[in-house]
Each structure stands twice: as C-alpha cells, then as structure tokens.
Amino acid sequence: MMSEQVIFRIKRFDPENAEQGSYWEDFKVDRKKGKTLLEGLFDIMENLDGSLAFRFACRAGICGSDAAYVNGKYVLACQEQISFYTGTIKIEPLPFYPIIKDLVIDMEPFFSKIRAVNPFVILKKSLEKEVIQSSEEKELMGNSIDCILCGSCYSSCVTVWTDPEYLGPAALLKAFRFVRDSRDAMTDERIGLINGNHGVWRCHTAFNCGEACPKELNPTEAIAYLKRQAVKKRFSRLFGK
Ligand code: SF4
C-alpha cells in the first residue's frame, strides 16, 4: 500500500542556542493529494512543534517568500505537492544566506543588490503624465518582469559564493528589465551601474541561476545582453558610433 506519510527532515537553527549550530529534525506529515510542502510545514507548526520558523505570504507562487532548498532543488514550498515525494523530504533554507531561524534567512545581501540597480522606471521628461506601453514595447522586456524576488538564483550563483559584492543574477535581470523598458530615460547610467568590478563581467555563464529559478527565467541570457550593451557603449565612446 502507498505510504500515507512522509518524513519532513528539516534543517533547523535556533539563534538562542547558536553554539549548537544547524541540526536536522524529522517530522511525520500526512501525504495527501493536493497538499503542498507549505501546508506540511503548517501541520508541523500547528500540531507538532510551534517553534518551527518559516516564511510565507501569498501561498500562490507570487511572493517568493517560501523559497526553500528541497532534496537538492530550489522550490517554492506553496507550489510543491507532497504527493510528488515518497520517503524522506530534506528541507533546508536557501544555501549561502545567513540563517535567522530554521528556514528563515536574512535576505538583506540579496535586496541590497536589487536596490543598487535602481529598480524603478525613471521617466523621460516628455513622459511625465500617464505612460502607456504598446504590446510590442512590453515584449522587449520579455519575461524578466515575472521575477518574484525569491532569491533562489542568488543562492545558486557560483560567483556570488566567491564575490559577495557581485550584483548577482536577480539584480542584473532587474537592470535588464529597466534597460529594455521603453519609458525609462536612464539607459546609459544603468549600463554604467552594471559595468563595474562586481557587475556583469563577473558572470562565468554557469547557468545555475536559470536552473534554480522557480519561474523558469534566464538571468544568464539577460546578463549576456547587458554585456553586449556595455561593449557598444564603450565603442561608441571611443569611436563615436
Ligand atoms: Fe527568483 Fe527567478 Fe527572480 Fe531569481 S530570477 S529572484 S530565482 S524569480
């Protein structure tokens, strides 16, 4: 008979007992069709251990708060069915980030990079009223607008691991999104922001970010585009073309 339960093996960390370090703890969770990993975590918190800490918000794969590293893969807990798994499910906080408690990480290193690329439209002067984009103009940004800032790509990036100052895949995808935005007036300045010592040229095209992204976005491709724009800008400055 098919198992009615699975084991949630959760990597835990208690900041009040930090010297103990991280440790694994097992919980039995009902394996019902339609139930998500996030609901399994709620089962544990409500019925087995009220001290378990994890983030969530929309429960619909939009907010990115519940990204986790599960059996070696990046997932959104609210989108992952328990019935996909049998036996033991290893659930960890996103690797590389400082851990606050259990599955809750400190995302400031990630969001500081997002802020560094000015993640908002800076309008052209002539467009200070309502600005309507055509479908073709919106298409220029592609699916970069679908980023939910879950932080998975940043966690998976080999350059981030070795250069904590590196802007990282999500911030560079965000920069791409605004460089491609027909309403934005700061393209040159944006290229300047991503062209420094810790910008696009640090990307080694490992493609980890695209594999990690639960929204199937491709920051590496966006970074390649930004590299081309940086080269064009340099050439036009040197040769006036
Ligand atoms: Fe998450 Fe993908 Fe956005 Fe990275 S690019 S923050 S993995 S949604």
Side-chain angles (χ1 to χ4, degrees):
M1 202 176 91
M2 193 171 73
S3 165
E4 295 300 323
Q5 289 192 312
V6 286
I7 304 289
F8 273 33
R9 180 162 293 163
I10 301 178
K11 196 172 197 179
R12 305 201 60 181
F13 176 75
D14 178 1
E16 289 177 9
N17 208 352
E19 65 283 356
Q20 168 184 17
S22 292
Y23 62 97
W24 295 95
E25 191 167 7
D26 288 358
F27 300 92
K28 283 185 182 161
V29 175
D30 285 342
R31 181 175 178 271
K32 281 194 199 133
K33 198 166 177 226
K35 186 169 170 175
T36 64
L37 289 186
L38 182 62
E39 288 168 320
L41 292 173
F42 271 108
D43 274 5
I44 295 168
M45 190 184 69
E46 286 164 5
N47 304 310
L48 300 173
D49 185 343
S51 72
L52 179 66
F54 53 94
R55 280 204 182 101
F56 69 96
C58 74
R59 306 188 194 203
I62 297 167
C63 72
S65 319
D66 61 350
Y69 195 59
V70 175
N71 284 1
K73 277 179 57 187
Y74 292 87
V75 304
L76 299 177
C78 64
Q79 293 209 303
E80 201 72 358
Q81 296 287 311
I82 295 182
S83 59
F84 292 169
Y85 298 85
T86 52
T88 300
I89 309 174
K90 279 175 79 177
I91 304 177
E92 305 174 53
L94 294 185
F96 184 73
Y97 290 94
I99 300 172
I100 296 173
K101 185 175 191 312
D102 297 334
L103 302 177
V104 178
I105 51 172
D106 177 4
M107 292 192 75
E108 181 52 25
F110 171 78
F111 282 115
S112 66
K113 311 294 173 51
I114 299 286
R115 288 195 296 271
V117 298
N118 291 340
F120 41 83
V121 170
I122 301 166
L123 286 179
K124 293 172 184 165
K125 273 219 159 55
S126 58
L127 301 176
E128 273 167 354
K129 292 190 195 138
E130 182 184 11
V131 184
I132 297 171
Q133 276 191 313
S134 67
S135 316
E136 291 76 22
E137 286 169 334
K138 179 177 169 286
E139 208 48 47
L140 293 174
M141 297 180 282
N143 58 10
S144 64
I145 58 176
D146 295 337
C147 173
I148 57 172
L149 300 176
C150 71
S152 298
C153 55
Y154 190 83
S155 164
S156 76
C157 174
V158 287
T159 306
V160 168
W161 300 344
T162 53
D163 175 12
E165 299 296 309
Y166 174 50
L167 285 168
L172 292 170
L173 182 67
K174 193 61 80 182
F176 167 90
R177 179 242 176 279
F178 288 104
V179 164
R180 300 284 284 172
D181 193 314
S182 57
R183 301 163 298 178
D184 193 85
M186 304 300 281
T187 304
D188 271 3
E189 289 79 354
R190 292 187 188 282
I191 296 297
L193 285 178
I194 55 84
N195 199 19
N197 288 342
H198 305 286
V200 283
W201 303 105
R202 299 287 287 167
C203 172
H204 297 296
T205 327
F207 287 102
N208 282 13
C209 51
E211 273 187 39
C213 179
K215 291 294 178 185
E216 300 182 359
L217 306 182
N218 191 342
T220 312
E221 212 169 65
I223 292 168
Y225 174 86
L226 292 173
K227 284 177 176 172
R228 290 196 295 276
Q229 297 312 304
V231 171
K232 274 188 195 165
K233 188 177 166 206
R234 175 103 179 118
F235 265 78
S236 77
R237 193 179 297 147
L238 287 176
F239 305 112
K241 286 186 185 171

